Amino acid sequence: MIHQLRQWWYRRRMIRGMAATLNNHQGFGARGWDASATMAFQARKALADDVLAWLRSQLPYTATPYGINRYQLHLGFAQMAGKQRTFLGHAEGFPAFNRLESGAIFEQLHQRLTTSDWTAMPTLTTLEVYLVSYGDLLKPMLDADAKR
């Protein structure tokens, strides 16, 4: 019983710590690119190449406390009118991956960006890419535990 209570408390503390890290705009990298539903193939390929270059540049700077190197990749589509952002939807999610699997996931992303149909979002103006690092999310909590 005490073991289960301790696990529940630790899990709750971990979730609360991860939420606090995200609310402080840490633990993830995010960037937006200008896009439109009518982009030509070459323009979409150039956009996909830029996204891949950005993602590859982000990985070396993510934290890996105790060897935790899991990531989650999310795409978002929005229409920007000045500072007013209207969310249009997101693409299918990508499975969680580690650094060794990142090449295959990034290639899936590249293919999806160059071949997917965006005509259902005629007001698309921004492609948003979010890279969530579990190591960066957990690092503040693990560092606090290490100081105890």
Side-chain angles (χ1 to χ4, degrees):
M1 176 69 173
I2 291 176
H3 179 69
Q4 289 176 334
L5 186 60
R6 188 174 286 155
Q7 281 183 329
W8 171 83
W9 177 78
Y10 191 74
R11 192 176 306 121
R12 183 179 164 118
R13 218 176 101 231
M14 185 170 33
I15 291 169
R16 210 177 10 213
M18 289 171 71
T21 302
L22 283 172
N23 288 335
N24 288 329
H25 302 285
Q26 297 172 331
F28 68 94
R31 186 165 169 204
W33 284 265
D34 293 337
S36 76
T38 59
M39 287 178 80
F41 176 77
Q42 288 301 337
R44 284 181 69 163
K45 186 176 179 321
L47 172 73
D49 292 343
D50 285 348
V51 170
L52 256 58
W54 177 76
L55 286 170
R56 288 184 178 128
S57 72
Q58 295 299 301
L59 281 185
Y61 298 104
T62 58
T64 57
Y66 302 102
I68 299 170
N69 68 349
R70 299 292 288 174
Y71 304 94
Q72 192 79 44
L73 183 61
H74 299 278
L75 295 179
F77 300 98
Q79 188 246 336
M80 299 295 290
K83 292 189 179 213
Q84 178 66 35
R85 178 182 177 274
T86 304
F87 180 69
L88 298 176
H90 55 85
E92 297 173 28
F94 290 89
F97 59 95
N98 61 33
R99 284 192 185 190
L100 294 176
E101 300 164 338
S102 65
I105 296 293
F106 292 170
E107 288 306 315
Q108 286 178 17
L109 170 69
H110 190 276
Q111 175 137 8
R112 191 172 296 167
L113 289 177
T114 55
T115 61
S116 60
D117 181 21
W118 293 349
T119 56
M121 299 176 287
T123 60
L124 172 67
T125 60
T126 304
L127 166 70
E128 299 168 339
V129 179
Y130 300 91
L131 178 66
V132 180
S133 165
Y134 292 123
D136 285 314
L137 289 176
L138 292 171
K139 189 175 184 330
M141 188 192 77
L142 295 173
D143 288 348
D145 280 353
K147 290 179 185 176
R148 287 184 177 187

